[in-house]
Each structure stands twice: as C-alpha cells, then as structure tokens.
Amino acid sequence: MTEFVNMWKNYVNFSDRTSVRGFWMAFLFNMIAVTIIAIIAVVAGILWLSSIYALAVFLPGLAIAIRRLRDAGKSPAYIFIALIPFAGVILYIIALCKASIPDDGKPVV
C-alpha cells in the first residue's frame, strides 16, 4: 500500500525513478480502488463517480509511468509507443517490466 500512497505523494514528480515493484504494486492498488469505486457508483447510482476518480488518478498515473520508464532506461517519450495498436502496448508493458538500470544518483521513489 505504501507504493500507492507514494504515487499520490509524488503526483507531479516526473524526474525521479520508480522500481518495478513500486510501479506494479501501485497499479494493483489502483485497480482495486477502481473496482471498489465502480461497484459503489453502480450500486448508489452515482455513475459520474468513476469519471471523477479517473480524472484524479490521470496525473499521478502518468508521473509514475514516466518515472518507471526512466528507471528502466527508456525516454519518457516512450510512453507514446502504447498508442500503436497491439504491438505498441506489448512493447510498453515489456518496458515497464524491465529491470532497473544502475543508479545514476537519482533516488528510487
């Protein structure tokens, strides 16, 4: 859960690094939160609740993905490879799963 909290604390930090575990644990807790919010939204009839959460998590999610790419030795612009249908998404996921490159003095968040 600390990775999820760190994602929110560093929501505009695009310059540091994020470990593989840090990214995927934040992703997991985010998916759990999305599921819970979607269930609450459907049961309570507040369908816009999911949209509000999606807007709120956009910037922190973008920041943690860019930090993860940087930690894997990729350029932040590599995030746009996911726009290529099928193959781009696969290459993006592979980049997110790559081991961290040696530390260049930047802390891993």
Side-chain angles (χ1 to χ4, degrees):
M1 184 85 174
T2 37
E3 289 85 2
F4 184 68
V5 173
N6 284 339
M7 179 184 79
W8 287 100
K9 285 182 181 177
N10 296 307
Y11 74 99
V12 290
N13 182 0
F14 290 91
S15 61
D16 285 338
R17 301 161 48 123
T18 299
S19 66
V20 176
R21 182 182 188 280
F23 175 81
W24 288 109
M25 290 303 289
F27 180 83
L28 173 67
F29 281 107
N30 190 41
M31 289 298 106
I32 292 170
V34 165
T35 304
I36 291 170
I37 290 171
I39 291 170
I40 291 170
V42 169
V43 169
I46 311 170
L47 299 178
W48 51 266
L49 189 61
S50 296
S51 299
I52 297 294
Y53 183 75
L55 285 173
V57 80
F58 176 73
L59 194 57
L62 182 64
I64 197 168
I66 287 176
R67 288 194 313 262
R68 177 65 213 128
L69 287 172
R70 184 174 316 237
D71 193 50
K74 300 288 184 188
S75 165
Y78 198 81
I79 201 164
F80 294 113
I81 199 163
L83 297 175
I84 300 170
F86 305 115
V89 173
I90 293 169
L91 291 172
Y92 179 64
I93 291 172
I94 290 170
L96 293 174
C97 293
K98 284 181 71 173
S100 300
I101 59 170
D103 189 9
D104 61 351
K106 293 192 181 247
V108 177
V109 179

XYZ file of all heavy atoms in Angstrom:
849
model
N 0.821 -1.202 0.000
C 0.000 0.000 0.000
C 0.864 1.264 0.000
O 0.419 2.301 -0.455
C -0.919 -0.053 1.222
C -1.880 1.056 1.300
S -3.323 0.671 0.350
C -4.345 2.023 0.741
N 2.100 1.157 0.496
C 2.962 2.345 0.525
C 3.263 2.864 -0.879
O 3.394 4.064 -1.072
C 4.304 2.059 1.227
O 4.735 0.756 0.919
C 4.214 2.247 2.703
N 3.352 1.953 -1.844
C 3.606 2.378 -3.220
C 2.441 3.205 -3.760
O 2.637 4.184 -4.482
C 3.855 1.174 -4.127
C 5.176 0.493 -3.892
C 5.131 -0.537 -2.771
O 4.043 -0.742 -2.198
O 6.159 -1.132 -2.471
N 1.225 2.812 -3.403
C 0.030 3.553 -3.831
C 0.011 4.944 -3.192
O -0.275 5.939 -3.858
C -1.228 2.761 -3.462
C -2.510 3.385 -3.945
C -2.800 3.455 -5.294
C -3.436 3.880 -3.043
C -3.984 4.010 -5.746
C -4.623 4.438 -3.482
C -4.895 4.502 -4.837
N 0.362 4.998 -1.912
C 0.427 6.288 -1.215
C 1.535 7.149 -1.810
O 1.352 8.354 -2.022
C 0.632 6.072 0.302
C 0.879 7.384 1.018
C -0.567 5.351 0.906
N 2.685 6.530 -2.127
C 3.784 7.284 -2.744
C 3.400 7.811 -4.120
O 3.858 8.875 -4.529
C 5.041 6.419 -2.853
C 5.737 6.263 -1.534
O 5.555 7.050 -0.618
N 6.544 5.220 -1.423
N 2.560 7.057 -4.833
C 2.096 7.539 -6.139
C 1.348 8.860 -5.968
O 1.529 9.788 -6.733
C 1.174 6.498 -6.788
C 0.629 6.939 -8.140
S -0.540 5.776 -8.870
C -2.032 6.168 -7.972
N 0.528 8.933 -4.935
C -0.241 10.161 -4.701
C 0.633 11.278 -4.135
O 0.423 12.447 -4.453
C -1.416 9.891 -3.766
C -2.487 9.123 -4.458
C -2.721 7.786 -4.380
C -3.448 9.639 -5.382
N -3.772 7.452 -5.186
C -4.241 8.552 -5.807
C -3.719 10.902 -5.892
C -5.279 8.709 -6.718
C -4.757 11.052 -6.792
C -5.520 9.961 -7.191
N 1.616 10.928 -3.315
C 2.502 11.955 -2.760
C 3.393 12.576 -3.830
O 3.740 13.746 -3.748
C 3.391 11.358 -1.663
C 2.691 11.110 -0.367
C 3.665 10.561 0.651
C 2.994 10.276 1.963
N 3.935 9.682 2.937
N 3.793 11.784 -4.817
C 4.691 12.250 -5.874
C 3.950 12.451 -7.183
O 4.471 12.161 -8.255
C 5.815 11.230 -6.078
C 6.683 11.101 -4.870
O 7.181 12.089 -4.362
N 6.852 9.884 -4.393
N 2.747 12.971 -7.114
C 1.890 13.029 -8.298
C 2.383 13.980 -9.380
O 1.953 13.869 -10.521
C 0.448 13.347 -7.922
C 0.196 14.780 -7.519
C -0.326 15.686 -8.433
C 0.458 15.218 -6.242
C -0.565 16.997 -8.080
C 0.220 16.510 -5.871
C -0.295 17.395 -6.790
O -0.526 18.684 -6.431
N 3.283 14.889 -9.082
C 3.849 15.764 -10.117
C 5.360 15.592 -10.237
O 6.022 16.393 -10.858
C 3.504 17.248 -9.870
C 2.039 17.505 -10.094
C 3.946 17.685 -8.494
N 5.882 14.533 -9.657
C 7.314 14.268 -9.710
C 7.604 13.386 -10.928
O 7.409 12.181 -10.901
C 7.747 13.567 -8.418
C 9.226 13.307 -8.384
O 9.949 13.632 -9.314
N 9.678 12.721 -7.298
N 8.065 14.004 -11.992
C 8.359 13.283 -13.220
C 9.847 12.989 -13.377
O 10.249 12.364 -14.341
C 7.898 14.098 -14.434
C 6.409 14.187 -14.558
C 5.704 15.228 -13.969
C 5.708 13.233 -15.263
C 4.339 15.313 -14.088
C 4.332 13.304 -15.385
C 3.648 14.342 -14.806
N 10.674 13.445 -12.449
C 12.123 13.378 -12.667
C 12.827 12.254 -11.920
O 13.946 11.911 -12.277
C 12.756 14.716 -12.274
O 12.521 14.972 -10.918
N 12.236 11.665 -10.915
C 12.905 10.606 -10.163
C 12.695 9.260 -10.830
O 12.347 9.185 -11.996
C 12.396 10.584 -8.720
C 12.969 11.720 -7.891
O 14.030 12.247 -8.264
O 12.350 12.071 -6.878
N 12.914 8.198 -10.070
C 12.800 6.842 -10.582
C 11.821 6.054 -9.722
O 11.614 6.372 -8.569
C 14.171 6.166 -10.554
C 15.195 6.910 -11.376
C 16.617 6.540 -10.998
N 16.836 5.123 -10.901
C 17.738 4.461 -11.583
N 18.500 5.099 -12.412
N 17.903 3.175 -11.427
N 11.232 5.001 -10.305
C 10.323 4.114 -9.582
C 10.705 2.680 -9.911
O 10.900 2.335 -11.070
C 8.861 4.370 -9.996
O 8.518 5.711 -9.677
C 7.910 3.443 -9.264
N 10.789 1.858 -8.876
C 11.168 0.454 -9.078
C 10.032 -0.321 -9.741
O 8.894 0.130 -9.802
C 11.505 -0.182 -7.729
O 10.345 -0.245 -6.924
N 10.366 -1.517 -10.219
C 9.368 -2.382 -10.841
C 8.273 -2.696 -9.815
O 7.083 -2.590 -10.106
C 10.016 -3.699 -11.348
C 8.971 -4.638 -11.903
C 11.071 -3.409 -12.381
N 8.688 -3.077 -8.622
C 7.729 -3.398 -7.569
C 6.874 -2.187 -7.230
O 5.658 -2.303 -7.062
C 8.453 -3.891 -6.319
C 7.504 -4.296 -5.211
C 8.275 -4.736 -3.958
N 7.409 -5.285 -2.960
C 6.659 -4.567 -2.122
N 6.685 -3.255 -2.196
N 5.899 -5.146 -1.224
N 7.490 -1.032 -7.120
C 6.748 0.176 -6.793
C 5.672 0.492 -7.815
O 4.553 0.856 -7.465
N 6.006 0.342 -9.099
C 5.029 0.625 -10.147
C 3.887 -0.370 -10.123
O 2.722 0.011 -10.135
C 5.701 0.606 -11.525
C 4.710 0.777 -12.638
C 4.257 2.041 -12.975
C 4.195 -0.315 -13.322
C 3.319 2.212 -13.981
C 3.267 -0.158 -14.327
C 2.822 1.108 -14.662
N 4.215 -1.673 -10.098
C 3.160 -2.680 -10.220
C 2.303 -2.787 -8.964
O 1.109 -3.107 -9.057
C 3.753 -4.028 -10.625
C 4.205 -3.989 -12.051
C 5.476 -3.981 -12.506
C 3.370 -3.885 -13.213
N 5.498 -3.897 -13.880
C 4.213 -3.836 -14.341
C 1.990 -3.832 -13.415
C 3.728 -3.742 -15.640
C 1.514 -3.742 -14.718
C 2.366 -3.698 -15.803
N 2.860 -2.512 -7.791
C 2.030 -2.509 -6.579
C 1.083 -1.306 -6.598
O -0.079 -1.421 -6.212
C 2.902 -2.499 -5.323
C 3.643 -3.800 -5.100
S 2.569 -5.245 -5.002
C 1.800 -4.987 -3.433
N 1.557 -0.161 -7.042
C 0.675 0.996 -7.178
C -0.405 0.714 -8.212
O -1.578 1.067 -8.016
C 1.486 2.238 -7.569
N -0.038 0.045 -9.297
C -1.008 -0.337 -10.329
C -2.066 -1.278 -9.746
O -3.263 -1.104 -9.987
C -0.272 -1.002 -11.490
C -1.167 -1.439 -12.613
C -1.562 -0.532 -13.578
C -1.620 -2.745 -12.705
C -2.394 -0.918 -14.623
C -2.446 -3.144 -13.734
C -2.841 -2.229 -14.700
N -1.630 -2.269 -8.971
C -2.556 -3.228 -8.364
C -3.539 -2.527 -7.431
O -4.757 -2.734 -7.531
C -1.778 -4.303 -7.595
C -2.626 -5.272 -6.773
C -3.463 -6.148 -7.690
C -1.738 -6.111 -5.869
N -3.034 -1.697 -6.527
C -3.924 -0.998 -5.601
C -4.830 -0.009 -6.323
O -5.966 0.212 -5.917
C -3.127 -0.312 -4.485
C -2.690 -1.263 -3.421
C -1.363 -1.636 -3.317
C -3.603 -1.814 -2.537
C -0.952 -2.532 -2.346
C -3.208 -2.708 -1.563
C -1.879 -3.071 -1.462
N -4.352 0.563 -7.406
C -5.193 1.451 -8.200
C -6.335 0.678 -8.845
O -7.472 1.141 -8.881
C -4.363 2.181 -9.251
C -5.142 3.267 -9.917
O -5.882 4.005 -9.290
N -4.976 3.364 -11.216
N -6.050 -0.521 -9.350
C -7.101 -1.346 -9.959
C -8.123 -1.798 -8.916
O -9.324 -1.861 -9.189
C -6.500 -2.570 -10.661
C -5.746 -2.236 -11.925
S -6.802 -1.493 -13.190
C -6.286 0.208 -13.114
N -7.657 -2.082 -7.705
C -8.578 -2.426 -6.617
C -9.470 -1.229 -6.294
O -10.682 -1.370 -6.133
C -7.801 -2.903 -5.372
C -7.136 -4.259 -5.661
C -8.714 -2.991 -4.156
C -6.152 -4.707 -4.610
N -8.874 -0.041 -6.226
C -9.649 1.173 -5.950
C -10.657 1.442 -7.060
O -11.811 1.803 -6.784
C -8.711 2.371 -5.784
N -10.256 1.245 -8.315
C -11.174 1.443 -9.445
C -12.353 0.492 -9.352
O -13.504 0.882 -9.568
C -10.420 1.262 -10.790
C -11.376 1.092 -11.948
C -9.494 2.425 -11.034
N -12.085 -0.763 -9.008
C -13.150 -1.754 -8.888
C -14.122 -1.390 -7.776
O -15.345 -1.432 -7.968
C -12.545 -3.150 -8.635
O -11.622 -3.459 -9.688
C -13.623 -4.207 -8.559
N -13.599 -1.008 -6.631
C -14.460 -0.639 -5.496
C -15.284 0.601 -5.841
O -16.495 0.643 -5.566
C -13.607 -0.420 -4.229
C -13.038 -1.759 -3.750
C -14.423 0.240 -3.127
C -11.999 -1.637 -2.659
N -14.678 1.591 -6.426
C -15.400 2.816 -6.794
C -16.461 2.520 -7.845
O -17.576 3.058 -7.778
C -14.423 3.909 -7.251
C -13.629 4.411 -6.048
C -15.134 5.056 -7.947
C -12.493 5.328 -6.372
N -16.158 1.654 -8.799
C -17.142 1.302 -9.823
C -18.339 0.578 -9.211
O -19.493 0.845 -9.584
C -16.496 0.438 -10.899
N -18.082 -0.324 -8.283
C -19.185 -1.030 -7.609
C -20.035 -0.059 -6.822
O -21.277 -0.084 -6.898
C -18.632 -2.155 -6.709
C -18.042 -3.272 -7.580
C -19.720 -2.701 -5.793
C -17.259 -4.311 -6.807
N -19.406 0.828 -6.074
C -20.150 1.836 -5.308
C -20.945 2.738 -6.237
O -22.103 3.064 -5.963
C -19.189 2.659 -4.419
C -18.630 1.781 -3.309
C -19.880 3.881 -3.840
C -17.508 2.418 -2.519
N -20.349 3.130 -7.349
C -21.024 4.014 -8.300
C -22.266 3.354 -8.888
O -23.311 3.996 -9.019
C -20.065 4.414 -9.414
N -22.170 2.080 -9.227
C -23.314 1.383 -9.811
C -24.400 1.158 -8.765
O -25.584 1.393 -9.030
C -22.866 0.039 -10.446
C -24.060 -0.816 -10.811
C -22.002 0.311 -11.658
N -24.014 0.727 -7.577
C -24.996 0.450 -6.520
C -25.702 1.732 -6.080
O -26.919 1.752 -5.900
C -24.318 -0.255 -5.317
C -25.242 -0.318 -4.115
C -23.867 -1.646 -5.712
N -24.945 2.805 -5.911
C -25.521 4.062 -5.430
C -26.129 4.889 -6.560
O -26.796 5.885 -6.295
C -24.449 4.887 -4.716
N -25.890 4.502 -7.800
C -26.434 5.257 -8.925
C -25.695 6.548 -9.210
O -26.240 7.467 -9.820
N -24.456 6.628 -8.755
C -23.638 7.829 -8.974
C -22.597 7.474 -10.038
O -21.425 7.282 -9.748
C -22.940 8.274 -7.672
C -23.927 8.327 -6.521
C -22.269 9.619 -7.854
C -23.260 8.514 -5.177
N -23.034 7.396 -11.274
C -22.166 6.900 -12.336
C -20.991 7.831 -12.650
O -19.974 7.395 -13.165
C -22.986 6.631 -13.588
C -24.091 5.579 -13.401
C -24.880 5.421 -14.689
C -23.516 4.265 -12.960
N -21.094 9.099 -12.344
C -20.008 10.041 -12.608
C -18.857 9.884 -11.622
O -17.789 10.442 -11.811
C -20.514 11.473 -12.612
C -21.325 11.839 -11.409
C -22.682 11.786 -11.301
C -20.843 12.283 -10.146
N -23.069 12.166 -10.056
C -21.953 12.490 -9.311
C -19.592 12.537 -9.622
C -21.846 12.913 -7.996
C -19.483 12.962 -8.317
C -20.605 13.144 -7.529
N -19.053 9.109 -10.554
C -18.014 8.918 -9.543
C -16.756 8.273 -10.145
O -15.633 8.673 -9.835
C -18.553 8.059 -8.391
C -17.689 7.928 -7.153
C -17.473 9.303 -6.522
C -18.349 6.989 -6.162
N -16.937 7.312 -11.020
C -15.796 6.659 -11.672
C -15.030 7.638 -12.553
O -13.797 7.589 -12.631
C -16.272 5.483 -12.520
O -16.852 4.506 -11.706
N -15.743 8.521 -13.215
C -15.088 9.521 -14.067
C -14.256 10.495 -13.247
O -13.155 10.885 -13.661
C -16.130 10.289 -14.874
O -16.831 9.419 -15.709
N -14.764 10.875 -12.097
C -14.025 11.782 -11.213
C -12.729 11.128 -10.756
O -11.656 11.742 -10.770
C -14.888 12.199 -9.993
C -16.118 12.983 -10.435
C -14.067 12.963 -8.969
C -15.798 14.324 -11.062
N -12.808 9.840 -10.374
C -11.598 9.135 -9.945
C -10.617 8.995 -11.108
O -9.407 9.146 -10.923
C -11.928 7.760 -9.355
C -10.690 7.062 -8.847
C -10.088 7.455 -7.663
C -10.096 6.031 -9.566
C -8.933 6.842 -7.201
C -8.942 5.410 -9.115
C -8.373 5.825 -7.933
O -7.224 5.217 -7.487
N -11.105 8.700 -12.298
C -10.232 8.566 -13.473
C -9.490 9.871 -13.747
O -8.292 9.860 -14.070
C -11.044 8.147 -14.684
N -10.173 10.994 -13.620
C -9.511 12.295 -13.804
C -8.493 12.561 -12.702
O -7.419 13.101 -12.960
C -10.550 13.413 -13.838
C -11.355 13.534 -15.122
C -12.460 14.579 -14.955
C -10.459 13.892 -16.282
N -8.845 12.171 -11.476
C -7.946 12.416 -10.350
C -6.669 11.583 -10.449
O -5.595 12.037 -10.064
C -8.664 12.113 -9.038
N -6.761 10.371 -10.963
C -5.609 9.470 -11.000
C -4.794 9.624 -12.287
O -3.708 9.058 -12.395
C -6.064 8.008 -10.786
C -6.613 7.404 -12.062
C -4.959 7.166 -10.220
N -5.250 10.410 -13.233
C -4.540 10.550 -14.506
C -3.126 11.079 -14.324
O -2.161 10.477 -14.808
C -5.323 11.462 -15.464
C -4.590 11.717 -16.751
C -4.492 10.720 -17.706
C -3.968 12.931 -16.985
C -3.793 10.934 -18.893
C -3.274 13.158 -18.161
C -3.195 12.162 -19.113
N -2.958 12.201 -13.653
C -1.632 12.798 -13.493
C -0.704 11.943 -12.631
O 0.447 11.719 -13.023
C -1.748 14.217 -12.940
C -0.512 15.083 -13.027
C -0.032 15.215 -14.456
C -0.797 16.456 -12.449
N -1.152 11.409 -11.476
C -0.258 10.521 -10.724
C 0.122 9.262 -11.504
O 1.250 8.795 -11.426
C -1.061 10.162 -9.475
C -2.064 11.223 -9.332
C -2.371 11.695 -10.721
N -0.810 8.719 -12.266
C -0.513 7.533 -13.071
C 0.493 7.828 -14.169
O 1.378 7.017 -14.456
N 0.359 8.970 -14.789
C 1.302 9.386 -15.818
C 2.692 9.595 -15.220
O 3.702 9.160 -15.790
C 0.813 10.665 -16.489
C 1.643 11.219 -17.630
C 1.653 10.236 -18.795
C 1.101 12.567 -18.063
N 2.741 10.227 -14.061
C 4.025 10.501 -13.408
C 4.734 9.202 -13.019
O 5.940 9.055 -13.256
C 3.818 11.375 -12.178
N 4.004 8.248 -12.451
C 4.653 7.005 -12.022
C 5.089 6.182 -13.234
O 6.124 5.524 -13.205
C 3.756 6.194 -11.053
C 4.604 5.164 -10.311
C 2.610 5.538 -11.774
C 3.900 4.510 -9.145
N 4.334 6.233 -14.321
C 4.727 5.512 -15.534
C 5.991 6.119 -16.138
O 6.900 5.387 -16.551
C 3.597 5.529 -16.554
N 6.092 7.419 -16.155
C 7.289 8.077 -16.696
C 8.490 7.811 -15.807
O 9.588 7.546 -16.290
C 7.029 9.585 -16.890
C 6.093 9.773 -18.089
C 8.337 10.352 -17.087
C 5.667 11.183 -18.339
N 8.287 7.834 -14.476
C 9.396 7.506 -13.573
C 9.845 6.063 -13.772
O 11.037 5.760 -13.729
C 8.993 7.748 -12.115
C 8.878 9.196 -11.756
C 8.807 9.423 -10.261
N 7.893 8.566 -9.552
C 6.657 8.898 -9.203
N 6.183 10.089 -9.489
N 5.907 8.056 -8.534
N 8.895 5.149 -13.993
C 9.244 3.741 -14.218
C 10.019 3.572 -15.522
O 11.000 2.834 -15.583
C 7.970 2.885 -14.236
C 8.185 1.440 -14.521
C 8.988 0.752 -13.417
N 9.805 -0.277 -14.023
C 11.105 -0.407 -13.852
N 11.755 0.388 -13.055
N 11.768 -1.355 -14.444
N 9.590 4.252 -16.572
C 10.311 4.187 -17.842
C 11.727 4.718 -17.686
O 12.680 4.157 -18.233
C 9.562 4.956 -18.925
C 8.286 4.299 -19.448
C 7.548 5.252 -20.368
C 8.590 2.988 -20.147
N 11.865 5.792 -16.949
C 13.200 6.375 -16.719
C 14.078 5.387 -15.954
O 15.256 5.240 -16.241
C 13.061 7.669 -15.932
C 14.362 8.394 -15.714
C 14.081 9.701 -15.068
N 12.934 10.290 -15.755
C 12.923 11.465 -16.327
N 13.956 12.205 -16.268
N 11.870 11.921 -16.937
N 13.509 4.677 -14.980
C 14.260 3.707 -14.196
C 14.674 2.511 -15.056
O 15.686 1.884 -14.803
C 13.423 3.237 -13.003
C 14.242 2.478 -11.989
O 15.302 2.996 -11.593
O 13.828 1.375 -11.600
N 13.872 2.209 -16.080
C 14.190 1.097 -16.981
C 15.125 1.525 -18.108
O 15.450 0.723 -18.983
C 12.898 0.529 -17.563
N 15.534 2.776 -18.116
C 16.473 3.256 -19.117
C 15.828 3.744 -20.397
O 16.496 3.906 -21.409
N 14.539 3.982 -20.370
C 13.823 4.470 -21.555
C 13.550 5.960 -21.413
O 13.492 6.508 -20.322
C 12.485 3.744 -21.721
C 12.600 2.253 -21.894
C 13.148 1.924 -23.243
C 13.165 0.412 -23.448
N 13.844 0.036 -24.645
N 13.335 6.601 -22.539
C 12.972 8.004 -22.563
C 11.514 8.152 -22.109
O 10.693 7.268 -22.374
C 13.116 8.532 -23.983
O 12.470 9.771 -24.122
N 11.165 9.256 -21.454
C 9.760 9.470 -21.099
C 8.832 9.482 -22.314
O 7.666 9.131 -22.213
C 9.771 10.828 -20.405
C 11.139 10.956 -19.855
C 12.031 10.268 -20.850
N 9.359 9.832 -23.477
C 8.546 9.839 -24.699
C 8.164 8.428 -25.137
O 7.273 8.248 -25.961
C 9.303 10.539 -25.823
N 8.805 7.415 -24.556
C 8.496 6.024 -24.879
C 7.064 5.667 -24.507
O 6.521 4.682 -24.988
C 9.484 5.099 -24.158
C 9.548 3.698 -24.728
C 10.297 3.434 -25.861
C 8.876 2.645 -24.125
C 10.373 2.157 -26.386
C 8.944 1.367 -24.640
C 9.691 1.133 -25.765
O 9.752 -0.134 -26.290
N 6.440 6.481 -23.677
C 5.058 6.231 -23.266
C 4.116 6.263 -24.474
O 3.090 5.586 -24.493
C 4.619 7.235 -22.181
C 3.442 6.683 -21.403
C 4.299 8.596 -22.738
C 3.184 7.404 -20.104
N 4.500 6.996 -25.518
C 3.646 7.106 -26.702
C 3.654 5.845 -27.564
O 2.811 5.704 -28.445
C 4.047 8.316 -27.543
C 3.791 9.613 -26.850
C 4.844 10.428 -26.466
C 2.498 10.016 -26.567
C 4.607 11.621 -25.807
C 2.248 11.208 -25.914
C 3.303 12.013 -25.526
N 4.567 4.925 -27.289
C 4.575 3.681 -28.057
C 3.303 2.885 -27.792
O 2.870 2.081 -28.609
C 5.838 2.839 -27.776
C 6.042 1.832 -28.893
C 5.744 2.129 -26.441
C 7.411 1.245 -28.959
N 2.673 3.120 -26.660
C 1.431 2.420 -26.320
C 0.283 2.809 -27.249
O -0.742 2.136 -27.282
C 1.046 2.699 -24.875
N 0.447 3.876 -28.020
C -0.602 4.294 -28.958
C -0.636 3.431 -30.214
O -1.618 3.465 -30.955
C -0.406 5.763 -29.335
C -0.528 6.761 -28.193
C -0.188 8.154 -28.679
C -1.904 6.715 -27.576
N 0.427 2.664 -30.443
C 0.452 1.752 -31.586
C -0.398 0.540 -31.218
O -0.150 -0.102 -30.194
C 1.893 1.313 -31.918
C 2.755 2.526 -32.258
C 1.896 0.287 -33.052
C 4.227 2.212 -32.368
N -1.390 0.214 -32.025
C -2.269 -0.917 -31.677
C -1.493 -2.229 -31.530
O -0.567 -2.510 -32.280
C -3.231 -1.001 -32.865
C -3.203 0.360 -33.476
C -1.815 0.884 -33.246
N -1.894 -3.014 -30.560
C -1.369 -4.345 -30.253
C 0.108 -4.358 -29.905
O 0.460 -4.510 -28.748
C -1.676 -5.345 -31.385
C -3.126 -5.416 -31.722
C -3.577 -5.001 -32.964
C -4.061 -5.868 -30.803
C -4.919 -5.045 -33.284
C -5.407 -5.920 -31.108
C -5.836 -5.506 -32.349
N 0.984 -4.247 -30.880
C 2.420 -4.368 -30.637
C 2.938 -3.271 -29.711
O 3.799 -3.523 -28.876
C 3.183 -4.337 -31.957
N 2.421 -2.060 -29.842
C 2.868 -0.953 -29.010
C 2.561 -1.187 -27.544
O 3.396 -0.927 -26.674
N 1.390 -1.704 -27.264
C 1.005 -1.982 -25.877
C 1.893 -3.077 -25.295
O 2.331 -2.986 -24.145
C -0.490 -2.377 -25.795
C -0.859 -2.823 -24.403
C -1.358 -1.231 -26.250
N 2.185 -4.087 -26.087
C 3.053 -5.172 -25.624
C 4.462 -4.650 -25.342
O 5.051 -4.952 -24.297
C 3.078 -6.323 -26.652
C 1.707 -6.992 -26.707
C 4.166 -7.344 -26.311
C 1.517 -7.951 -27.849
N 5.008 -3.834 -26.229
C 6.333 -3.254 -26.013
C 6.355 -2.341 -24.784
O 7.335 -2.309 -24.035
C 6.780 -2.481 -27.248
C 7.101 -3.323 -28.480
C 7.348 -2.421 -29.683
C 8.289 -4.227 -28.210
N 5.267 -1.616 -24.568
C 5.159 -0.724 -23.407
C 5.162 -1.532 -22.109
O 5.879 -1.200 -21.164
C 3.890 0.115 -23.543
C 3.640 1.061 -22.407
C 4.504 2.110 -22.142
C 2.525 0.916 -21.587
C 4.270 2.983 -21.106
C 2.277 1.782 -20.563
C 3.153 2.814 -20.315
O 2.923 3.683 -19.282
N 4.403 -2.611 -22.072
C 4.354 -3.452 -20.871
C 5.712 -4.099 -20.625
O 6.167 -4.188 -19.480
C 3.230 -4.501 -20.986
C 1.868 -3.802 -20.917
C 3.340 -5.553 -19.883
C 0.682 -4.689 -21.217
N 6.382 -4.533 -21.677
C 7.719 -5.111 -21.529
C 8.681 -4.084 -20.951
O 9.488 -4.394 -20.071
C 8.227 -5.664 -22.884
C 7.435 -6.912 -23.256
C 9.725 -5.957 -22.831
C 7.683 -7.400 -24.665
N 8.590 -2.847 -21.417
C 9.459 -1.780 -20.891
C 9.177 -1.521 -19.420
O 10.102 -1.262 -18.649
C 9.274 -0.497 -21.694
N 7.921 -1.601 -19.027
C 7.577 -1.381 -17.619
C 8.050 -2.520 -16.722
O 8.236 -2.334 -15.525
C 6.061 -1.196 -17.466
C 5.478 0.073 -18.083
C 3.955 0.054 -17.975
C 6.039 1.316 -17.418
N 8.228 -3.704 -17.298
C 8.667 -4.879 -16.536
C 10.182 -5.049 -16.505
O 10.681 -5.894 -15.760
C 8.037 -6.140 -17.119
S 6.260 -6.228 -16.911
N 10.902 -4.274 -17.292
C 12.362 -4.417 -17.349
C 12.996 -4.081 -16.004
O 12.493 -3.261 -15.248
C 12.945 -3.490 -18.412
C 12.736 -3.984 -19.820
C 13.349 -3.043 -20.808
C 14.856 -3.137 -20.711
N 15.532 -2.377 -21.762
N 14.122 -4.726 -15.751
C 14.862 -4.452 -14.520
C 15.417 -3.028 -14.554
O 15.627 -2.450 -15.615
C 16.003 -5.443 -14.378
N 15.644 -2.501 -13.382
C 16.176 -1.148 -13.257
C 17.615 -1.095 -13.744
O 18.382 -2.033 -13.565
C 16.130 -0.693 -11.804
O 14.805 -0.700 -11.340
N 17.967 0.025 -14.365
C 19.352 0.237 -14.766
C 20.124 0.692 -13.535
O 19.530 1.135 -12.549
C 19.467 1.254 -15.916
C 18.876 2.596 -15.495
C 18.808 0.741 -17.168
C 19.159 3.719 -16.465
N 21.444 0.611 -13.565
C 22.222 1.070 -12.409
C 21.892 2.518 -12.040
O 21.607 3.344 -12.907
C 23.668 0.934 -12.875
C 23.621 -0.111 -13.926
C 22.279 0.051 -14.604
N 21.944 2.775 -10.769
C 21.582 4.088 -10.239
C 22.528 5.162 -10.761
O 23.741 5.004 -10.759
C 21.652 4.050 -8.710
C 21.085 5.286 -8.060
O 20.481 6.109 -8.780
O 21.233 5.430 -6.843
N 21.952 6.265 -11.206
C 22.754 7.392 -11.680
C 22.721 8.551 -10.689
O 22.894 9.693 -11.058
C 22.288 7.844 -13.059
C 20.851 8.316 -13.069
O 20.152 8.143 -12.049
O 20.413 8.870 -14.086
N 22.440 8.235 -9.445
C 22.408 9.259 -8.414
C 21.017 9.731 -8.065
O 20.834 10.442 -7.088
N 20.009 9.341 -8.857
C 18.642 9.751 -8.556
C 18.008 8.724 -7.621
O 18.185 7.530 -7.800
C 17.824 9.873 -9.831
C 18.286 11.001 -10.705
C 17.275 11.261 -11.777
C 17.786 12.373 -12.651
N 17.070 13.549 -12.590
N 17.254 9.183 -6.631
C 16.627 8.234 -5.712
C 15.475 7.481 -6.361
O 14.825 7.982 -7.251
C 16.098 9.141 -4.587
C 15.885 10.461 -5.248
C 16.958 10.553 -6.312
N 15.278 6.239 -5.938
C 14.147 5.442 -6.409
C 12.990 5.715 -5.474
O 13.077 5.517 -4.278
C 14.492 3.941 -6.420
C 13.284 3.125 -6.828
C 15.646 3.689 -7.350
N 11.887 6.230 -6.036
C 10.723 6.613 -5.233
C 9.806 5.432 -5.081
O 9.560 4.693 -5.977
C 9.987 7.777 -5.898
C 8.764 8.168 -5.095
C 10.896 8.960 -6.036
